Amino acid sequence: MSQVPAFAVISGAQVHEAVAGREERVIAMVEAAYRLHGEGQTINPDSYFLRFPDRPADRIIALPASVKGDVGVHGVKWISSFPGNVAQGFPRASAVLILNDAETGYPFACLESSIISAARTAASAALAAASIADRRGDRPRRVGFIGGGLIARYVHTYLAGSGFTFDELGVHDLSPEHAAGFKGYLERTQKGEVTVHDTAESLVRAADLIVFATVAGEPHVHDPSWFAHNPLVLHVSLRDLSPEIILDSWNVVDDVEHCMKANTSPHLAEQRVGDRDFVAGTLYDVLTDRIVPPADRPVVFSPFGLGVLDLAVARHVYDEVAASGALHTVPDFFHDLSRHG
């Protein structure tokens, strides 16, 4: 007979402890979740956006999901993006995640989730980069980051954790201070030469692997000729590239239906041409060799971000903290459980 589970709260420090330095393991979890998703073993409804008419740059998003297999949980991530936070010296995004028991439906944990979100985003990008690059026949040695914030740092960490090494690293950010800060981070963690580029064009032309990790709300890169050298593009922030660039590239997404929403660059391209023929397939299709990335075209990976990935990482964190004996439960969180009093 099922029991009402205890309710636990897991802090950001505990989340960090469970994932830091375990990039390969997190990437493996994310790959397993993508495979479950591709096999129909997940439920991943549309994300729900809470927007504010008086603060159009801000939003809070709910990502409900359910994963079968070894993960075996339901849940929801509630993540806010307030870009103005950056000017105050702290990250734009904050998040919590609720895990629900698959048998009873009762929530059994609330986890700080900005780290989980960043880790799963970076693991997804690194998995895509490795899977695509290996099938193209060569791993890039020149990388460029457009946007030098927390997500860029996580993506770099996970690229390194998946075996990428770089001779040249480029950074471009609208804020010289942020660009300098990210350059300093790279110089502390990499042996390659690090260059701050004054323009996005200069960075794009100098890199074979390009990471977009910005807060852009609409395309700001418009010229397909910048990509004539056929780089691999991790379009993590989703809204940087013009429809012309998307249509000129070989495109892979995490989930077609999810990516064609909310005026992402692929969504704008779909509105431009009226079809989705420009999408070659999904990352699951790459992983299962249903599609083969070409070496003679720009390849763009645009991940909308699936809640099933958050659940997979969150379940791992919960299990790690529980196994360590450091799980903080809330006594009497569920009260008045007798049906008739």
Side-chain angles (χ1 to χ4, degrees):
M1 180 178 178
S2 297
Q3 300 287 322
V4 174
F7 187 78
V9 176
I10 297 177
S11 71
Q14 291 176 302
V15 173
H16 176 78
E17 179 72 18
V19 301
R22 303 181 187 183
E23 290 81 23
E24 286 188 77
R25 189 170 178 183
V26 175
I27 291 169
M29 284 179 237
V30 166
E31 178 175 353
Y34 271 127
R35 290 183 181 273
L36 287 170
H37 186 65
E39 294 162 2
Q41 299 298 304
T42 65
I43 303 171
N44 204 106
D46 288 345
S47 301
Y48 297 89
F49 287 73
L50 177 62
R51 298 186 183 277
F52 312 96
D54 59 332
R55 301 181 63 152
D58 300 339
R59 64 183 187 268
I60 309 179
I61 312 170
L63 288 81
S66 175
V67 187
K68 293 183 179 180
D70 293 339
V71 180
V73 292
H74 318 308
V76 62
K77 179 174 73 172
W78 181 238
I79 182 166
S80 68
S81 175
F82 281 52
N85 291 347
V86 174
Q88 306 303 314
F90 54 93
R92 66 180 176 85
S94 58
V96 294
L97 187 147
I98 300 293
L99 290 176
N100 292 74
D101 180 72
E103 293 298 321
T104 66
Y106 270 73
F108 63 89
C110 175
L111 301 89
E112 195 286 329
S113 196
S114 66
I115 295 171
I116 289 172
S117 189
R120 69 83 154 142
T121 298
S124 168
L127 173 66
S131 302
I132 292 169
D134 290 348
R135 286 163 175 81
R136 292 178 100 192
D138 191 24
R139 287 205 172 189
R141 305 282 298 187
R142 302 185 303 165
V143 66
F145 293 87
I146 297 183
L150 181 142
I151 295 298
R153 172 163 60 85
Y154 268 78
V155 171
H156 171 260
T157 297
Y158 275 78
L159 287 171
S162 58
F164 281 85
T165 56
F166 302 109
D167 302 320
E168 300 176 25
L169 302 97
V171 179
H172 172 69
D173 196 291
L174 294 179
S175 163
E177 180 183 356
H178 296 163
F182 191 55
K183 178 178 185 285
Y185 157 77
L186 292 173
E187 288 175 334
R188 292 192 301 273
T189 57
Q190 283 277 174
K191 294 182 180 178
E193 180 181 355
V194 184
T195 302
V196 173
H197 292 262
D198 293 334
T199 66
E201 178 180 4
S202 172
L203 181 140
V204 169
R205 292 186 183 276
D208 301 311
L209 174 61
I210 302 157
V211 180
F212 283 93
T214 74
V215 295
E218 59 186 23
H220 57 96
V221 176
H222 299 275
D223 190 345
S225 71
W226 296 4
F227 301 83
H229 57 301
N230 302 321
L232 168 54
V233 181
L234 301 177
H235 188 209
V236 175
S237 38
L238 279 176
R239 296 172 178 83
D240 303 271
L241 303 177
S242 70
E244 291 82 4
I245 293 171
I246 294 293
L247 295 170
D248 199 53
S249 302
W250 191 87
N251 293 278
V252 61
V253 299
D254 53 357
D255 183 286
V256 176
E257 291 298 327
H258 284 275
C259 205
M260 298 298 175
K261 292 182 175 70
N263 288 329
T264 64
S265 294
H267 187 207
L268 294 178
E270 180 190 31
Q271 294 174 55
R272 174 76 59 86
V273 299
D275 61 53
R276 300 175 176 181
D277 294 346
F278 59 88
V279 178
T282 66
L283 182 55
Y284 175 73
D285 294 328
V286 174
L287 293 170
T288 55
D289 294 311
R290 295 181 182 181
I291 57 176
V292 180
D296 59 353
R297 292 184 66 189
V299 173
V300 177
F301 174 57
S302 298
F304 193 79
L306 301 177
V308 297
L309 306 183
D310 295 285
L311 292 195
V313 177
R315 181 66 203 234
H316 160 75
V317 169
Y318 176 87
D319 290 343
E320 286 286 307
V321 175
S324 73
L327 201 63
H328 301 302
T329 58
V330 180
D332 301 320
F333 184 83
F334 298 109
H335 183 63
D336 199 6
L337 296 174
S338 174
R339 186 172 183 185
H340 299 292

